[in-house]
Every structure is written in C-alpha cells, then in structure tokens.
Amino acid sequence: MDARNGQVLYQKNASSPMYPASTTKILTAIIALEHSRLDEVVTVPREATRVEGSAIGLQEGERLTMEDLLYALLLASANDAAVAIAEHVAGSVPAFAALMNEKARSIGARSSNFQNPSGLPDPRHYTTAYDLALIARYAMHNPVFRTIVSTRFKQIHRPDADRSKGPPQEHLWNHNRLLSRYEGAIGVKTGYTIEAGQCLVAAAQRNDRELIAVILNSQGAAVYSDARALLDYGFSAFKPVQLAEKGEKVSSFSVTGGAEKVEAITGNSFYFNFPAGEKPSFEQKIVVHQDLRAPLATGQKVGELVFTRAGGKELGRVDLVSARAVGTSVTRRWSTWVLGAVVFLVALRLRAMMVHRWRWRRLRYPPYLR
C-alpha cells in the first residue's frame, strides 16, 4: 500500500479474516497516544502480571510512564504492558477493546474485530491484511508512534520494581529485524502465535515515497523475505504521478444567491502510482454539489475532482473548496430587506389596530357597566 494515498499496489487474500497476533499493538498504541500523555504515570494492575505470552515482567503496583510502556509494547511486544495500558486508558480490557473497534471503524478497517490489546488468540479477534495496512498508515501519521517503531534500542526506567526478584528488564530491543536489514525501513510491528503464524507490518521510505507491506500467517524467515519482495516490487514497478496539486484552480461557477462566482480550487494534492514504463492515461471530471447556496466560507467544500481510467475505473478523488468567501448578491440582500420591512410595517399596523380596538371597547363599555 502507498502510505500517501492508500493505493494498493499488490494484494493476495487481502480481505480474508486472519489472526493478527501482536500486530494488534499498532492499534493499541495509537489509542493510548490519543487518550493519554506520555508523562502520565501508570500503576500496573494485577491483571497485567497474569497475562500470557511475551512480557517484560511487570509487577503489581509498579509505576511506569506511559512513554516507557509504549516502548515496551512496540519494541519488546510486551503483553503485560498492553494490559496495563488498556486498564489505565479505559478502566478494563473490554472497555479498551470497544475503543479499539470504534477507532478501527473510523479509520476504515471495517472487516476487523478486536477483543484484547495484545493480540492473544481469540476466535472473535481478527483482522485482514488490508485493514492492518489502513491502521498502520493512520498510525504512521503520528510522529511519536513513528519515532517509537523506528527505534532499534531503548532503555526504560523501572524505579519501583522489586529488585529482590532479580534485575527488571529495562533494555529493550526492537523485534523487527527489517529495521537493520532493509534500506529505508522505518517500522512498524511484528507478531507471532501458533494460530496466527509469523506476522509483520513493515514500512519503508525511499526519497519521497513511503510504502506499507503486510504479511500474515507466514512461516519462519519467509515473513522477512516476503516483506522485502513486496517493498522492492512497490518501489521498482511503479512510478508516482501527481494528478493534482493543492491550491490549483479547477473551475469557477455561479451559485444560488451568490454575489460573485465561486472559484473552486483543489483542497489537497493527489498522486497515483502507474506501472513503470507505462504512459499515464486518465480522465478527470468535476462534480459540483447541487445544493450550494450563498454565502460560502473560504475553504468550504463545493465539490470533488474525480480521476478515472478509460472504462470508468476510478483512481481517486480530490475535494474542491472555495478559494475565497462568497457573499449573497445585492438583489437578494435588497429583497430580504424589503421583505423584512414589509413584515415590520404589517406588524406595526396590526398592533395599532389592536390598540385602537382596545381603546374603543373601554370607551363603549366603561368598567362600571361591565
């Protein structure tokens, strides 16, 4: 997947439900980052110390910063850190899972369901390669997340750990071997369970391009060779072409009640990857919102610029926005003022008639005759 525009360059069974194992922690981390501060102190609950699988040996009552727990989560793939984060953020693992599913839906990962923050096997805990690519693409826009998953080694601090039980694990090495074995690798997360097999979500950057590869249910070292093959293919077999530049004037048109024409410009840039060596061929169509009426604010969406291939296959869309504010026309303002004045005069006339009638009744029927 192209991380810039979400275009899928290659897929095999990308929509098949699969177990994600610890690649789940990509979503866990982004929720933690959006619902807490890095300097927040997290007290380790008993439930975190009882978790199965990979862990750094957290102790009940031990206090760590959210930042250190996130490094443990994403570098050492610590399941105990995942539970500690979940209970701190949401109060319980089920409540945190609800946040995970809500976030996944908002990102567009609608074929997934999450039951826990670690990725431990559960028949109701599944995702797809496509959904994981969407989640990773979203997460990599967060600069803190991006820094953590690209870190090879980190020393965390566990001052509250009971050292009579042995030295606590404070030196963390990133499990993602691709960081040291692939040019431009920048993350993101490994995963493994017997049920899920070897899993890897990988991201790499070369020049101004960034690609994301997702491999699920692989075996042994093949997960890394497959990731390298996918990334190499994406970088070499495709060429990005800019179809639209942000702020580019596309059209101007009249709008109901407008004092002037709307100048429609592109709200963002748009790139599409064409096969290398192929002459880019595309068509574009302007779709204007039919219910537009003045006034319009600067930057207000007024339509879309739709790019298609021959045959009608859509390549993508770019929002069209108003380059500047558009006020109501003088004629419309004048008619509004006239109507308002007429209503006001009618109201005054009705009030005068009511006052006159009231006075007439008082004169005709004095109080002592009523």
mmCIF file of all heavy atoms in Angstrom, residues 264-294:
data_model
loop_
_atom_site.group_PDB
_atom_site.id
_atom_site.type_symbol
_atom_site.label_atom_id
_atom_site.label_comp_id
_atom_site.label_asym_id
_atom_site.label_seq_id
_atom_site.Cartn_x
_atom_site.Cartn_y
_atom_site.Cartn_z
ATOM 1 N N ALA A 264 -13.317 27.485 -7.547
ATOM 2 C CA ALA A 264 -13.055 26.183 -6.932
ATOM 3 C C ALA A 264 -11.601 25.787 -7.124
ATOM 4 O O ALA A 264 -11.092 25.767 -8.250
ATOM 5 C CB ALA A 264 -13.970 25.128 -7.524
ATOM 6 N N ILE A 265 -10.922 25.468 -6.022
ATOM 7 C CA ILE A 265 -9.531 25.021 -6.063
ATOM 8 C C ILE A 265 -9.408 23.665 -5.372
ATOM 9 O O ILE A 265 -10.284 23.270 -4.595
ATOM 10 C CB ILE A 265 -8.580 26.039 -5.397
ATOM 11 C CG1 ILE A 265 -8.943 26.212 -3.913
ATOM 12 C CG2 ILE A 265 -8.619 27.372 -6.120
ATOM 13 C CD1 ILE A 265 -7.961 27.079 -3.144
ATOM 14 N N THR A 266 -8.341 22.944 -5.655
ATOM 15 C CA THR A 266 -8.120 21.643 -5.032
ATOM 16 C C THR A 266 -7.743 21.810 -3.563
ATOM 17 O O THR A 266 -6.909 22.643 -3.211
ATOM 18 C CB THR A 266 -7.012 20.873 -5.761
ATOM 19 O OG1 THR A 266 -5.869 21.728 -5.903
ATOM 20 C CG2 THR A 266 -7.478 20.436 -7.135
ATOM 21 N N GLY A 267 -8.369 20.993 -2.713
ATOM 22 C CA GLY A 267 -8.102 21.082 -1.281
ATOM 23 C C GLY A 267 -6.832 20.382 -0.863
ATOM 24 O O GLY A 267 -6.309 20.634 0.222
ATOM 25 N N ASN A 268 -6.316 19.499 -1.702
ATOM 26 C CA ASN A 268 -5.077 18.786 -1.398
ATOM 27 C C ASN A 268 -4.473 18.240 -2.681
ATOM 28 O O ASN A 268 -5.119 18.236 -3.740
ATOM 29 C CB ASN A 268 -5.334 17.642 -0.419
ATOM 30 C CG ASN A 268 -6.397 16.679 -0.917
ATOM 31 O OD1 ASN A 268 -7.593 16.941 -0.738
ATOM 32 N ND2 ASN A 268 -5.980 15.588 -1.536
ATOM 33 N N SER A 269 -3.229 17.818 -2.582
ATOM 34 C CA SER A 269 -2.566 17.211 -3.734
ATOM 35 C C SER A 269 -2.982 15.747 -3.852
ATOM 36 O O SER A 269 -3.431 15.135 -2.882
ATOM 37 C CB SER A 269 -1.046 17.308 -3.585
ATOM 38 O OG SER A 269 -0.631 18.657 -3.516
ATOM 39 N N PHE A 270 -2.819 15.189 -5.041
ATOM 40 C CA PHE A 270 -3.161 13.785 -5.252
ATOM 41 C C PHE A 270 -2.171 13.141 -6.210
ATOM 42 O O PHE A 270 -1.859 13.686 -7.264
ATOM 43 C CB PHE A 270 -4.577 13.651 -5.810
ATOM 44 C CG PHE A 270 -4.979 12.222 -6.083
ATOM 45 C CD1 PHE A 270 -5.198 11.341 -5.048
ATOM 46 C CD2 PHE A 270 -5.121 11.774 -7.386
ATOM 47 C CE1 PHE A 270 -5.560 10.020 -5.294
ATOM 48 C CE2 PHE A 270 -5.483 10.457 -7.647
ATOM 49 C CZ PHE A 270 -5.699 9.580 -6.597
ATOM 50 N N TYR A 271 -1.653 11.989 -5.779
ATOM 51 C CA TYR A 271 -0.717 11.213 -6.592
ATOM 52 C C TYR A 271 -1.337 9.849 -6.891
ATOM 53 O O TYR A 271 -2.111 9.321 -6.084
ATOM 54 C CB TYR A 271 0.604 10.997 -5.844
ATOM 55 C CG TYR A 271 1.425 12.244 -5.650
ATOM 56 C CD1 TYR A 271 1.117 13.159 -4.649
ATOM 57 C CD2 TYR A 271 2.532 12.503 -6.454
ATOM 58 C CE1 TYR A 271 1.872 14.296 -4.451
ATOM 59 C CE2 TYR A 271 3.301 13.641 -6.262
ATOM 60 C CZ TYR A 271 2.963 14.537 -5.266
ATOM 61 O OH TYR A 271 3.715 15.673 -5.076
ATOM 62 N N PHE A 272 -0.958 9.290 -8.014
ATOM 63 C CA PHE A 272 -1.367 7.927 -8.334
ATOM 64 C C PHE A 272 -0.176 7.183 -8.905
ATOM 65 O O PHE A 272 0.617 7.751 -9.675
ATOM 66 C CB PHE A 272 -2.518 7.916 -9.343
ATOM 67 C CG PHE A 272 -3.137 6.559 -9.527
ATOM 68 C CD1 PHE A 272 -4.079 6.094 -8.626
ATOM 69 C CD2 PHE A 272 -2.758 5.732 -10.577
ATOM 70 C CE1 PHE A 272 -4.647 4.835 -8.762
ATOM 71 C CE2 PHE A 272 -3.313 4.469 -10.726
ATOM 72 C CZ PHE A 272 -4.276 4.027 -9.817
ATOM 73 N N ASN A 273 -0.037 5.928 -8.507
ATOM 74 C CA ASN A 273 1.084 5.105 -8.976
ATOM 75 C C ASN A 273 0.697 4.364 -10.252
ATOM 76 O O ASN A 273 -0.214 3.530 -10.251
ATOM 77 C CB ASN A 273 1.465 4.091 -7.896
ATOM 78 C CG ASN A 273 2.025 4.746 -6.653
ATOM 79 O OD1 ASN A 273 3.192 5.120 -6.609
ATOM 80 N ND2 ASN A 273 1.194 4.890 -5.637
ATOM 81 N N PHE A 274 1.387 4.683 -11.328
ATOM 82 C CA PHE A 274 1.200 3.986 -12.599
ATOM 83 C C PHE A 274 2.355 3.000 -12.794
ATOM 84 O O PHE A 274 3.465 3.246 -12.336
ATOM 85 C CB PHE A 274 1.169 4.980 -13.754
ATOM 86 C CG PHE A 274 -0.058 5.850 -13.781
ATOM 87 C CD1 PHE A 274 -0.067 7.080 -13.129
ATOM 88 C CD2 PHE A 274 -1.194 5.447 -14.447
ATOM 89 C CE1 PHE A 274 -1.197 7.892 -13.143
ATOM 90 C CE2 PHE A 274 -2.326 6.245 -14.473
ATOM 91 C CZ PHE A 274 -2.331 7.463 -13.819
ATOM 92 N N PRO A 275 2.094 1.889 -13.477
ATOM 93 C CA PRO A 275 3.187 0.944 -13.744
ATOM 94 C C PRO A 275 4.350 1.634 -14.445
ATOM 95 O O PRO A 275 4.159 2.442 -15.357
ATOM 96 C CB PRO A 275 2.522 -0.095 -14.664
ATOM 97 C CG PRO A 275 1.080 -0.057 -14.278
ATOM 98 C CD PRO A 275 0.798 1.392 -13.961
ATOM 99 N N ALA A 276 5.551 1.348 -13.980
ATOM 100 C CA ALA A 276 6.747 1.968 -14.558
ATOM 101 C C ALA A 276 6.827 1.637 -16.050
ATOM 102 O O ALA A 276 6.597 0.508 -16.470
ATOM 103 C CB ALA A 276 7.993 1.459 -13.840
ATOM 104 N N GLY A 277 7.136 2.648 -16.840
ATOM 105 C CA GLY A 277 7.246 2.461 -18.283
ATOM 106 C C GLY A 277 5.943 2.651 -19.020
ATOM 107 O O GLY A 277 5.919 2.708 -20.256
ATOM 108 N N GLU A 278 4.846 2.757 -18.287
ATOM 109 C CA GLU A 278 3.543 2.980 -18.921
ATOM 110 C C GLU A 278 3.241 4.465 -18.964
ATOM 111 O O GLU A 278 3.457 5.192 -17.995
ATOM 112 C CB GLU A 278 2.448 2.254 -18.146
ATOM 113 C CG GLU A 278 1.040 2.503 -18.678
ATOM 114 C CD GLU A 278 -0.028 1.855 -17.809
ATOM 115 O OE1 GLU A 278 0.034 0.625 -17.631
ATOM 116 O OE2 GLU A 278 -0.905 2.581 -17.307
ATOM 117 N N LYS A 279 2.731 4.938 -20.105
ATOM 118 C CA LYS A 279 2.350 6.339 -20.214
ATOM 119 C C LYS A 279 1.086 6.584 -19.398
ATOM 120 O O LYS A 279 0.055 5.925 -19.626
ATOM 121 C CB LYS A 279 2.109 6.705 -21.679
ATOM 122 C CG LYS A 279 1.769 8.181 -21.886
ATOM 123 C CD LYS A 279 1.569 8.485 -23.360
ATOM 124 C CE LYS A 279 1.225 9.969 -23.540
ATOM 125 N NZ LYS A 279 1.010 10.303 -24.977
ATOM 126 N N PRO A 280 1.141 7.502 -18.449
ATOM 127 C CA PRO A 280 -0.033 7.762 -17.617
ATOM 128 C C PRO A 280 -1.229 8.195 -18.468
ATOM 129 O O PRO A 280 -1.118 9.094 -19.308
ATOM 130 C CB PRO A 280 0.420 8.894 -16.694
ATOM 131 C CG PRO A 280 1.904 8.794 -16.673
ATOM 132 C CD PRO A 280 2.291 8.326 -18.045
ATOM 133 N N SER A 281 -2.348 7.554 -18.269
ATOM 134 C CA SER A 281 -3.559 7.872 -19.012
ATOM 135 C C SER A 281 -4.724 7.950 -18.033
ATOM 136 O O SER A 281 -4.990 6.983 -17.302
ATOM 137 C CB SER A 281 -3.831 6.802 -20.070
ATOM 138 O OG SER A 281 -5.058 7.048 -20.727
ATOM 139 N N PHE A 282 -5.388 9.090 -18.011
ATOM 140 C CA PHE A 282 -6.507 9.259 -17.086
ATOM 141 C C PHE A 282 -7.421 10.378 -17.571
ATOM 142 O O PHE A 282 -7.058 11.185 -18.428
ATOM 143 C CB PHE A 282 -6.004 9.584 -15.674
ATOM 144 C CG PHE A 282 -5.234 10.871 -15.580
ATOM 145 C CD1 PHE A 282 -5.871 12.067 -15.269
ATOM 146 C CD2 PHE A 282 -3.865 10.901 -15.817
ATOM 147 C CE1 PHE A 282 -5.157 13.257 -15.191
ATOM 148 C CE2 PHE A 282 -3.149 12.082 -15.745
ATOM 149 C CZ PHE A 282 -3.797 13.265 -15.426
ATOM 150 N N GLU A 283 -8.597 10.408 -17.019
ATOM 151 C CA GLU A 283 -9.564 11.463 -17.285
ATOM 152 C C GLU A 283 -9.986 12.068 -15.951
ATOM 153 O O GLU A 283 -9.885 11.424 -14.909
ATOM 154 C CB GLU A 283 -10.796 10.899 -18.022
ATOM 155 C CG GLU A 283 -10.478 10.298 -19.372
ATOM 156 C CD GLU A 283 -11.685 9.645 -20.006
ATOM 157 O OE1 GLU A 283 -12.735 9.555 -19.319
ATOM 158 O OE2 GLU A 283 -11.594 9.210 -21.171
ATOM 159 N N GLN A 284 -10.450 13.305 -16.005
ATOM 160 C CA GLN A 284 -10.917 13.934 -14.778
ATOM 161 C C GLN A 284 -12.286 14.572 -15.009
ATOM 162 O O GLN A 284 -12.590 15.062 -16.092
ATOM 163 C CB GLN A 284 -9.924 14.979 -14.262
ATOM 164 C CG GLN A 284 -9.688 16.163 -15.164
ATOM 165 C CD GLN A 284 -8.635 17.104 -14.591
ATOM 166 O OE1 GLN A 284 -7.583 16.676 -14.119
ATOM 167 N NE2 GLN A 284 -8.924 18.395 -14.630
ATOM 168 N N LYS A 285 -13.101 14.530 -13.968
ATOM 169 C CA LYS A 285 -14.455 15.060 -14.041
ATOM 170 C C LYS A 285 -14.734 15.891 -12.793
ATOM 171 O O LYS A 285 -14.379 15.500 -11.676
ATOM 172 C CB LYS A 285 -15.468 13.914 -14.143
ATOM 173 C CG LYS A 285 -16.918 14.371 -14.200
ATOM 174 C CD LYS A 285 -17.860 13.190 -14.391
ATOM 175 C CE LYS A 285 -17.832 12.263 -13.201
ATOM 176 N NZ LYS A 285 -18.848 11.186 -13.314
ATOM 177 N N ILE A 286 -15.375 17.039 -12.997
ATOM 178 C CA ILE A 286 -15.723 17.924 -11.891
ATOM 179 C C ILE A 286 -17.145 17.612 -11.451
ATOM 180 O O ILE A 286 -18.076 17.622 -12.269
ATOM 181 C CB ILE A 286 -15.603 19.398 -12.295
ATOM 182 C CG1 ILE A 286 -14.159 19.724 -12.688
ATOM 183 C CG2 ILE A 286 -16.075 20.303 -11.157
ATOM 184 C CD1 ILE A 286 -14.000 21.110 -13.298
ATOM 185 N N VAL A 287 -17.318 17.315 -10.179
ATOM 186 C CA VAL A 287 -18.642 17.063 -9.615
ATOM 187 C C VAL A 287 -18.925 18.163 -8.595
ATOM 188 O O VAL A 287 -18.246 18.248 -7.567
ATOM 189 C CB VAL A 287 -18.712 15.685 -8.938
ATOM 190 C CG1 VAL A 287 -20.097 15.453 -8.333
ATOM 191 C CG2 VAL A 287 -18.380 14.587 -9.939
ATOM 192 N N VAL A 288 -19.906 19.000 -8.895
ATOM 193 C CA VAL A 288 -20.251 20.133 -8.025
ATOM 194 C C VAL A 288 -21.463 19.776 -7.179
ATOM 195 O O VAL A 288 -22.421 19.165 -7.673
ATOM 196 C CB VAL A 288 -20.557 21.393 -8.866
ATOM 197 C CG1 VAL A 288 -20.988 22.550 -7.964
ATOM 198 C CG2 VAL A 288 -19.341 21.779 -9.697
ATOM 199 N N HIS A 289 -21.434 20.123 -5.924
ATOM 200 C CA HIS A 289 -22.575 19.899 -5.051
ATOM 201 C C HIS A 289 -23.779 20.688 -5.562
ATOM 202 O O HIS A 289 -23.676 21.892 -5.842
ATOM 203 C CB HIS A 289 -22.250 20.323 -3.618
ATOM 204 C CG HIS A 289 -21.270 19.420 -2.951
ATOM 205 N ND1 HIS A 289 -20.759 19.645 -1.696
ATOM 206 C CD2 HIS A 289 -20.699 18.262 -3.358
ATOM 207 C CE1 HIS A 289 -19.922 18.688 -1.362
ATOM 208 N NE2 HIS A 289 -19.869 17.836 -2.364
ATOM 209 N N GLN A 290 -24.913 20.018 -5.668
ATOM 210 C CA GLN A 290 -26.084 20.639 -6.271
ATOM 211 C C GLN A 290 -26.852 21.553 -5.320
ATOM 212 O O GLN A 290 -27.647 22.374 -5.759
ATOM 213 C CB GLN A 290 -27.034 19.537 -6.787
ATOM 214 C CG GLN A 290 -26.424 18.668 -7.877
ATOM 215 C CD GLN A 290 -26.035 19.480 -9.101
ATOM 216 O OE1 GLN A 290 -26.809 20.318 -9.582
ATOM 217 N NE2 GLN A 290 -24.816 19.258 -9.593
ATOM 218 N N ASP A 291 -26.649 21.416 -4.025
ATOM 219 C CA ASP A 291 -27.424 22.185 -3.049
ATOM 220 C C ASP A 291 -26.666 23.405 -2.522
ATOM 221 O O ASP A 291 -27.007 23.949 -1.466
ATOM 222 C CB ASP A 291 -27.819 21.293 -1.870
ATOM 223 C CG ASP A 291 -26.609 20.637 -1.208
ATOM 224 O OD1 ASP A 291 -25.511 20.705 -1.788
ATOM 225 O OD2 ASP A 291 -26.774 20.068 -0.121
ATOM 226 N N LEU A 292 -25.675 23.866 -3.257
ATOM 227 C CA LEU A 292 -24.891 25.011 -2.790
ATOM 228 C C LEU A 292 -25.703 26.301 -2.876
ATOM 229 O O LEU A 292 -26.369 26.574 -3.881
ATOM 230 C CB LEU A 292 -23.617 25.156 -3.627
ATOM 231 C CG LEU A 292 -22.512 24.131 -3.381
ATOM 232 C CD1 LEU A 292 -21.374 24.365 -4.356
ATOM 233 C CD2 LEU A 292 -22.000 24.199 -1.951
ATOM 234 N N ARG A 293 -25.600 27.114 -1.835
ATOM 235 C CA ARG A 293 -26.237 28.434 -1.801
ATOM 236 C C ARG A 293 -25.305 29.395 -1.071
ATOM 237 O O ARG A 293 -24.593 29.007 -0.143
ATOM 238 C CB ARG A 293 -27.584 28.389 -1.070
ATOM 239 C CG ARG A 293 -28.620 27.453 -1.683
ATOM 240 C CD ARG A 293 -29.905 27.448 -0.876
ATOM 241 N NE ARG A 293 -30.555 28.738 -0.934
ATOM 242 C CZ ARG A 293 -31.443 29.099 -1.863
ATOM 243 N NH1 ARG A 293 -31.770 28.241 -2.821
ATOM 244 N NH2 ARG A 293 -32.005 30.284 -1.856
ATOM 245 N N ALA A 294 -25.302 30.630 -1.508
ATOM 246 C CA ALA A 294 -24.512 31.649 -0.815
ATOM 247 C C ALA A 294 -25.185 31.950 0.526
ATOM 248 O O ALA A 294 -26.403 31.795 0.662
ATOM 249 C CB ALA A 294 -24.422 32.898 -1.676
#
